[in-house]
Amino acid sequence: MTTIPNINWLTDLNVFAVNRLPAHSDHLFYETLEEARSAGPMPLRHELNGNWKFTYSINPNNRPAQFHQLDFNCSSWGNITVPGHIQLQGYGKPQYVNTMYPWDGHNEIRPPEIPLDHNPVGSYVKMFTVPENMKNKSVYISFQGVESAFYVWLNGEFVGYSEDSFTPAEFELTPFLTEGENKLAVEVYQRSTGSWLEDQDFWRFSGIFREVYLYTVPEIHVYDAGILAELDSTLTKGTLQAGLKLLSSNASPSKIVAELYDSEGGLVTTQNVEPADGKWSVSISVDTPELWSAENPYLYKFYIQVYNELGQLVEVIPQKVGFRRFELIDKIMRLNGERIVFKGVNRHEFNCRTGRAITKEDMLWDIKTLKRNNINAVRTSHYPNQSYWYELCDEYGVYVIDEMNLETHGSWQKMGAVEPSWNIPGNMPEWENIVMDRAVSMFERDKNHPSILIWSCGNESFAGEVILNVSKYFKRVDSSRLVHYEGVFHARDYNETSDMESRMYAKPVDIEKYLSENPEKPYISCEYMHAMGNSLGGMYKYTDLEQKYPMYQGGFIWDYIDQSIYKKDRSGNEFLAYGGDFGDRPTDYGFCTNGIVYANRELSPKMQEVKFLYQNFKLVPDQTGVMVKNESLFSSTGDFELEYSLFLEGEELYRNTLPAAVEPQCVGHFQFNWPANIAATTGEYTVQTSLKLKKSTLWAEAGFEIAFGQFVYRVGSREIVPAKGEIRVVCGDVNIGVHGRDFTVMFSKQVGSLISLNYAGKEMIALPPAPLFWRATTDNDRGFSQNFHSGLWYAASLARKCVDIQVEEKESEVDLAFTYKFSINNEVSVKTVYTVYPDGSVRVRSEYIGADNLPQMPIFAVSFKVPADYDQLEWYAMGPEENYTDRNMGARLGIFKNQVSDNLSGYVMPQESGNRTGIRRVNLKNREGYGIRISSVSKPLECNFSPYTAFELENAQHVFELPNVHYTVVTVAGRQMGVGGDDSWGAPVHDEHLIHSDNDMEFEFVINRI
């Protein structure tokens, strides 16, 4: 009977797949051993990617309903690229929302209804001819990802229908094919019942966004292969099992041969497979197999060879397999017997030009970036990824939480309040089949990947019987993995859904409370450290728990990559856009920019901290040697080169290496072999140690640093000896000038500040120094309502009153003190004292007198402007990337160079960026080498050199809104508050990284000419 497609399927809970083939493993197959061993493109596959004819309709009523018919002429239509999103190719517009459904405020509907007025439809047409090697064979089509529902026709005949955007949908085309050209028609709807289940925190797109291909199969074909490499409890006996499902029209195999090879190509064993009860299965024993882990991702090569009744080889399946054992023992998750700690990230598939239609090159860049920065785990937030990603995780060594395509956030949480009155799927049996279909599709496709340790039942969908049944399904079909689901935190009646306690954005104190109360399950943070904008402060508070509590087993940073999209401004210049920039409403604006990697795949400064805190090897040096703590599970530090070096005031004195083999979970101590009297000179010394790759790997070249540690100490005391000589002081009616050889320093009683630093005719002061208490709010500041809580410091930074000026002439120096009062509080005052010396250097001391009942202060600093030509920087400070008091553990003390423009970090919404802590000195020069040096006096400073003031950054929502650059803005701070990062919607910066306004403070620095 011919099935007649029905548009009502879009809202029918019982119709989510029509004529779709059963889900199966994602294995490759070839017709010869040579092809299989090369593992190149499959000759039995024909890609349909590339240019398709296309037309866009705003809703179903406007679509060309008969476009699939053979006599419908589509030649005048536009074009679209597959894979790709409709909304990123000139049709419709992208929309970003987080928790709310995209139609909220437009349509008053409830599940499973969908909007009728705005349900964009993409009508695709592809003409193709069946390749010669597919003729007279069964031909199938595979859609790897289509969002969110689609109908398929071939030559005017209905083929099938499918929902679930993130797992493959396959159909047989054989009955509908013709000689010559064939017309493939695909109708894609953005909204369907499935849209209620796909309320992830991401851009709302639609279209055929993953690859499409035809394929045929040999006369006897392994349709599905369930391959499992297991270990016994001793970890010395391996069993490779494979259950095979065959597809054959009228032939049976005469034999099936299974061969297992090691990673070098050596044959381990061969087995002739015999059917039992009509089923073909393989069971191979392997003594003392090499084990798979992220540290050593050892993969065997497994070949299944199928022979027809004539004894001819007709199909070969190559499959890489890894022997590993993952289990829960004594309430702790263990891999190959060892307690695992997930040092993970959540990762959306994303590209700033193509959205979720990412390439293999994107994925290769991502996997190498994870490995190079000590990230050992990924949660596929919040849907199954492309198959190639799991192959990379198998090969490179990354642990995976594979998450099914389920999120119904807007159905139970509104503006942060838990309100599950109409939550789906909940306990509604009518939703179970459509939800279970997504679980089955993910499991069947991905089951053979050793990198997958945990199945996840989806994300942020509350809890209930339906999701509990999904968990039971995973446990029933797969005993080699655990099951994760965070939502039971909100509904404890369904606690058994998850094998682990999993929470989002719990504070460290809350995690410790859970772990200290004899819990029943191990703990992971499935999302933590909300890395929105300038963030990730206080991450160390979480990683400190790893060794303190065995049942704390790590977490997954939110998230890996910014979801921002290139757009052009009114002048035709590209910029990275966020929600709302496309006229999309409703929207959650910049909440899509949470990555430790920028959307253009450049590393954010935040990655510096991640790499350090995720180190498996902790290096703790002192003056004489280094303690090496190996926290890895299976790797010896003997695989790395331990390098140690000594610096004096940032300049390298000595560098050498030493052998330092420390076994996993052990600690070693190693002595340095310094040359005699190397540290005899007075000054500040830094011992730096690092572990570097001895050999090149898939992800980095030999010599790449994987871990570091440093120790700073001083020999002798630090004394600043003021210059001696003559200076001339001129006290005018308005100005006070201090003159020396080739310099003039001038102060204004009218302005109430230093107004001129003129060295050899070059003026350095473009805007006088003033007290600064405000920084451009970060995303986290905005989430905490910093401008509401501390806005008076914004006002105090803009206006002050100079109430007193004191001039004191001494031998070889002169002091000028300016005292300021502020309208925010009569008791608050700042006194800035300038001391000018005969060499033209100026010592600046800023003293703050606080008061009770004032809010936290964002920064206590002195800020001034110099001409923009002075833009070349050399720091002796903590670096090389920006850092803050709560995000500087990954920074190291050294000499670093950059330009002022580099300190405007690539956060999509302008905000505070570019700060450095631990400032000993900074040289600010023009390209001719002239300029000034700012040096600390007693304690290290914090400094920022930016093209913009805090207020210019504050008032811009995009980088293109910033003014033209005319100045370099110098900000010298005694202290700046941390950036925080527990979350971005209300979590304060941890108290020890705040500035309390009732405390008196002071700091000093010196300005010298260079």
Side-chain angles (χ1 to χ4, degrees):
M1 173 185 270
T2 302
T3 303
I4 300 175
N6 192 327
I7 197 171
N8 293 328
W9 292 347
L10 294 171
T11 55
D12 190 336
L13 283 174
N14 297 309
V15 182
F16 45 83
V18 177
N19 297 337
R20 195 180 73 197
L21 298 176
H24 58 83
S25 53
D26 62 0
H27 65 273
L28 303 178
F29 54 91
Y30 300 86
E31 291 182 296
T32 69
L33 268 170
E34 290 73 19
E35 291 172 348
R37 285 172 177 154
S38 71
M42 286 174 52
L44 299 179
R45 181 181 291 182
H46 177 69
E47 289 188 353
L48 295 181
N49 301 331
N51 188 60
W52 292 48
K53 301 306 290 184
F54 180 81
T55 194
Y56 175 83
S57 308
I58 191 66
N59 59 43
N61 292 332
N62 294 317
R63 81 193 194 282
Q66 303 303 314
F67 83 105
H68 57 276
Q69 298 291 348
L70 280 173
D71 59 358
F72 191 102
N73 189 345
C74 304
S75 60
S76 64
W77 284 8
N79 298 302
I80 199 167
T81 298
V82 172
H85 297 295
I86 291 172
Q87 292 76 14
L88 295 183
Q89 299 190 65
Y91 304 96
K93 61 188 177 185
Q95 179 186 13
Y96 169 69
V97 286
N98 175 14
T99 64
M100 58 183 158
Y101 282 98
W103 47 79
D104 189 78
H106 289 292
N107 303 96
E108 198 167 342
I109 57 176
R110 285 290 181 259
E113 299 173 295
I114 58 174
L116 299 177
D117 56 337
H118 187 79
N119 185 7
V121 185
S123 301
Y124 293 77
V125 171
K126 181 73 170 179
M127 308 300 293
F128 70 89
T129 301
V130 177
E132 285 297 323
N133 67 336
M134 292 189 180
K135 290 182 176 178
N136 302 315
K137 295 181 179 180
S138 296
V139 176
Y140 307 88
I141 190 167
S142 179
F143 295 89
Q144 291 291 297
V146 182
E147 190 173 3
S148 71
F150 68 106
Y151 300 76
V152 184
W153 294 265
L154 185 64
N155 296 322
E157 300 292 330
F158 178 66
V159 174
Y161 170 82
S162 182
E163 297 177 26
D164 186 358
S165 300
F166 297 98
T167 52
E170 298 184 345
F171 307 93
E172 185 171 1
L173 299 183
T174 314
F176 315 110
L177 289 168
T178 64
E179 287 291 329
E181 203 167 53
N182 292 268
K183 179 180 180 179
L184 175 66
V186 183
E187 191 173 67
V188 179
Y189 289 80
Q190 185 168 18
R191 314 288 189 217
S192 67
T193 311
S195 302
W196 288 101
L197 304 177
E198 297 178 1
D199 192 35
Q200 286 94 335
D201 174 12
F202 60 12
W203 287 93
R204 309 308 165 101
F205 300 127
S206 63
I208 306 172
F209 70 97
R210 289 181 183 167
E211 64 178 349
V212 182
Y213 55 85
L214 304 176
Y215 69 94
T216 188
V217 298
E219 59 183 286
I220 307 171
H221 170 57
V222 176
Y223 178 81
D224 180 73
I227 301 170
L228 180 62
E230 292 187 298
L231 290 169
D232 71 356
S233 58
T234 69
L235 308 179
T236 61
K237 299 287 186 181
T239 304
L240 178 60
Q241 296 183 337
L244 310 179
K245 295 179 182 178
L246 302 185
L247 177 67
S248 175
S249 55
N250 52 20
S252 298
S254 62
K255 65 176 179 177
I256 297 179
V257 177
E259 293 181 340
L260 184 67
Y261 293 81
D262 62 25
S263 64
E264 302 299 318
L267 181 64
V268 177
T269 186
T270 300
Q271 182 181 105
N272 289 321
V273 183
E274 300 294 337
D277 299 326
K279 297 180 179 179
W280 295 82
S281 61
V282 179
S283 182
I284 296 175
S285 296
V286 180
D287 290 333
T288 60
E290 293 285 342
L291 305 188
W292 184 95
S293 69
E295 297 171 28
N296 180 28
Y298 191 96
L299 293 172
Y300 289 83
K301 299 172 184 176
F302 183 49
Y303 296 94
I304 299 170
Q305 303 165 47
V306 181
Y307 293 81
N308 65 13
E309 292 174 329
L310 299 177
Q312 299 167 328
L313 179 65
V314 294
E315 183 173 65
V316 182
I317 296 170
Q319 182 71 43
K320 294 180 179 179
V321 297
F323 287 91
R324 56 120 182 101
R325 185 181 179 96
F326 185 64
E327 58 193 329
L328 199 56
I329 299 177
D330 296 332
K331 301 193 288 189
I332 292 176
M333 291 180 282
R334 297 184 182 274
L335 176 71
N336 300 336
E338 300 295 336
R339 167 183 170 260
I340 193 171
V341 175
F342 294 108
K343 302 179 179 187
V345 293
N346 287 270
R347 175 181 170 272
H348 272 292
E349 294 181 308
F350 202 77
N351 178 290
C352 56
R353 298 192 184 276
T354 60
R356 289 187 287 278
I358 66 172
T359 65
K360 287 187 175 181
E361 290 73 24
D362 291 332
M363 289 184 266
L364 276 167
W365 193 93
D366 290 349
I367 201 83
K368 291 178 181 180
T369 297
L370 298 185
K371 295 294 291 187
R372 291 166 70 94
N373 290 284
N374 297 320
I375 298 167
N376 72 2
V378 161
R379 177 175 174 233
T380 66
S381 54
H382 302 288
Y383 42 82
N385 288 183
Q386 294 186 42
S387 276
Y388 185 63
W389 179 248
Y390 303 94
E391 295 174 24
L392 291 176
C393 291
D394 294 341
E395 185 177 6
Y396 282 74
V398 171
Y399 304 123
V400 177
I401 294 182
D402 200 11
E403 191 148 80
M404 66 180 280
N405 179 22
L406 173 66
E407 179 164 342
T408 65
H409 204 158
S411 77
W412 65 273
Q413 192 170 43
K414 292 86 176 175
M415 297 179 63
V418 175
E419 197 284 291
S421 62
W422 58 275
N423 165 242
I424 55 173
N427 296 324
M428 303 179 190
E430 63 269 27
W431 285 86
E432 181 153 325
N433 288 341
I434 190 173
V435 170
M436 191 65 72
D437 175 68
R438 292 163 180 247
V440 172
S441 294
M442 178 180 73
F443 168 76
E444 293 292 355
R445 189 196 67 169
D446 297 343
K447 59 196 172 191
N448 295 334
H449 293 283
S451 56
I452 299 172
L453 301 186
I454 298 171
W455 300 115
S456 177
C457 300
N459 183 66
E460 292 178 317
S461 298
F462 201 66
E465 289 291 332
V466 173
I467 297 175
L468 175 59
N469 289 338
V470 168
S471 173
K472 290 178 178 178
Y473 160 76
F474 285 134
K475 294 175 181 178
R476 184 172 68 252
V477 296
D478 188 358
S479 61
S480 70
R481 298 178 173 99
L482 299 179
V483 177
H484 161 269
Y485 186 64
E486 175 268 343
V488 299
F489 176 75
H490 303 284
R492 290 301 188 183
D493 288 346
Y494 303 97
N495 238 22
E496 64 177 300
T497 305
S498 185
D499 289 322
M500 64 233 36
E501 177 75 4
S502 172
R503 297 186 188 178
M504 292 188 177
Y505 308 108
K507 308 299 187 294
V509 65
D510 297 323
I511 298 173
E512 287 206 75
K513 182 178 186 298
Y514 171 84
L515 293 168
S516 63
E517 293 178 348
N518 191 27
E520 289 302 312
K521 297 179 183 179
Y523 183 100
I524 63 169
S525 295
C526 64
E527 293 180 22
Y528 82 117
M529 293 315 304
H530 197 264
M532 185 173 172
N534 192 349
S535 185
L536 222 77
M539 180 179 167
Y540 69 91
K541 288 180 172 286
Y542 295 88
T543 55
D544 282 352
L545 302 175
E546 294 171 1
Q547 301 304 314
K548 187 175 180 181
Y549 297 97
M551 290 180 69
Y552 179 80
Q553 299 201 248
F556 297 78
I557 294 167
W558 186 266
D559 59 2
Y560 170 69
I561 189 168
D562 280 351
Q563 293 184 72
S564 52
I565 302 170
Y566 273 119
K567 188 177 185 287
K568 289 185 177 180
D569 63 20
R570 293 184 64 194
S571 302
N573 300 312
E574 282 192 329
F575 71 99
L576 284 167
Y578 49 77
D581 286 338
F582 296 89
D584 47 312
R585 302 293 188 278
T587 185
D588 281 299
Y589 300 97
F591 216 75
C592 54
T593 57
N594 316 134
I596 53 176
V597 169
Y598 296 137
N600 61 3
R601 280 187 164 74
E602 294 180 1
L603 297 187
S604 155
K606 293 171 283 191
M607 188 67 88
Q608 177 174 264
E609 194 81 349
V610 174
K611 181 176 181 178
F612 180 81
L613 293 176
Y614 274 177
Q615 289 178 171
N616 277 334
F617 311 107
K618 304 297 193 292
L619 305 180
V620 186
D622 58 22
Q623 291 175 244
T624 61
V626 59
M627 179 184 76
V628 179
K629 185 178 182 183
N630 185 349
E631 295 178 359
S632 73
L633 306 185
F634 311 107
S635 303
S636 168
T637 60
D639 299 331
F640 302 88
E641 187 170 73
L642 178 60
E643 184 177 88
Y644 64 102
S645 51
L646 186 67
F647 297 80
L648 173 60
E649 303 292 338
E651 301 289 346
E652 183 176 321
L653 299 179
Y654 182 78
R655 184 180 296 268
N656 206 341
T657 62
L658 56 81
V662 179
E663 293 307 301
Q665 304 291 298
C666 294
V667 177
H669 294 82
F670 304 92
Q671 295 300 115
F672 299 139
N673 184 23
W674 299 122
N677 300 319
I678 191 171
T681 304
T682 296
E684 183 177 58
Y685 290 84
T686 304
V687 178
Q688 289 198 0
T689 54
S690 63
L691 283 176
K692 297 183 176 181
L693 292 176
K694 282 184 177 179
K695 299 178 181 179
S696 294
T697 67
L698 287 172
W699 45 269
E701 298 297 320
F704 180 80
E705 182 183 271
I706 201 65
F708 92 93
Q710 68 175 7
F711 176 72
V712 180
Y713 68 97
R714 172 165 291 282
V715 172
S717 60
R718 183 184 184 207
E719 296 182 12
I720 297 179
V721 180
K724 300 293 184 182
E726 293 184 0
I727 53 176
R728 179 170 60 91
V729 180
V730 178
C731 292
D733 296 327
V734 178
N735 300 305
I736 302 166
V738 182
H739 305 274
R741 181 176 296 176
D742 294 332
F743 77 87
T744 294
V745 181
M746 189 168 290
F747 302 85
S748 169
K749 291 182 276 186
Q750 180 173 273
V751 173
S753 186
L754 167 71
I755 60 169
S756 175
L757 273 178
N758 192 302
Y759 294 124
K762 295 180 174 62
E763 179 57 61
M764 296 303 302
I765 300 296
L767 189 74
L772 180 70
F773 310 103
W774 188 257
R775 71 174 184 199
T777 49
T778 66
D779 286 314
N780 289 341
D781 291 341
R782 285 185 279 265
F784 179 66
S785 299
Q786 179 86 345
N787 49 3
F788 175 81
H789 295 295
S790 298
L792 54 79
W793 292 116
Y794 184 103
S797 299
L798 290 175
R800 71 212 66 81
K801 183 177 183 180
C802 183
V803 296
D804 186 52
I805 300 173
Q806 299 290 328
V807 181
E808 183 179 359
E809 296 185 49
K810 304 177 183 176
E811 183 180 355
S812 295
E813 64 183 70
V814 59
D815 292 343
L816 291 98
F818 299 86
T819 301
Y820 306 99
K821 300 291 284 186
F822 304 87
S823 62
I824 61 170
N825 187 290
N826 289 329
E827 298 177 34
V828 170
S829 67
V830 170
K831 182 178 183 180
T832 304
V833 181
Y834 299 91
T835 302
V836 184
Y837 298 101
D839 62 352
S841 61
V842 181
R843 183 165 177 163
V844 184
R845 184 173 77 253
S846 185
E847 304 170 354
Y848 166 83
I849 304 299
D852 294 334
N853 302 316
L854 288 175
Q856 64 194 36
M857 182 188 295
I859 190 172
F860 174 44
V862 170
S863 186
F864 58 96
K865 292 180 180 179
V866 303
D869 288 345
Y870 296 90
D871 65 350
Q872 305 297 305
L873 292 164
E874 182 181 273
W875 311 75
Y876 176 40
M878 300 297 288
E881 303 295 340
E882 71 175 22
N883 51 87
Y884 296 81
T885 60
D886 59 353
R887 200 186 82 211
N888 65 0
M889 300 189 77
R892 66 190 75 194
L893 180 62
I895 294 176
F896 309 104
K897 295 181 180 181
N898 71 352
Q899 296 183 29
V900 169
S901 58
D902 297 330
N903 296 317
L904 185 69
S905 299
Y907 306 126
V908 179
M909 187 178 291
Q911 55 196 276
E912 157 61 35
S913 64
N915 187 71
R916 301 296 190 283
T917 64
I919 302 289
R920 276 67 169 168
R921 63 177 183 270
V922 190
N923 294 341
L924 174 65
K925 298 184 290 185
N926 61 18
R927 294 182 184 274
E928 285 71 47
Y930 298 103
I932 59 174
R933 171 181 295 164
I934 294 174
S935 306
S936 64
V937 176
S938 55
K939 296 180 180 179
L941 303 162
E942 297 188 48
C943 281
N944 193 333
F945 295 79
S946 173
Y948 306 106
T949 67
F951 312 103
E952 290 169 333
L953 293 169
E954 184 76 44
N955 292 325
Q957 299 300 301
H958 302 87
V959 173
F960 68 79
E961 297 174 35
L962 292 167
N964 293 331
V965 175
H966 301 289
Y967 306 103
T968 289
V969 180
V970 180
T971 301
V972 185
R975 192 172 180 197
Q976 181 178 168
M977 66 181 285
V979 292
D982 289 351
D983 65 50
S984 299
W985 49 90
V989 170
H990 289 279
D991 189 70
E992 61 267 43
H993 299 290
L994 292 174
I995 304 174
H996 298 288
S997 305
D998 56 347
N999 294 334
D1000 296 345
M1001 295 176 280
E1002 70 172 55
F1003 65 95
E1004 289 184 283
F1005 61 96
V1006 175
I1007 303 174
N1008 294 93
R1009 59 175 165 178
I1010 51 176

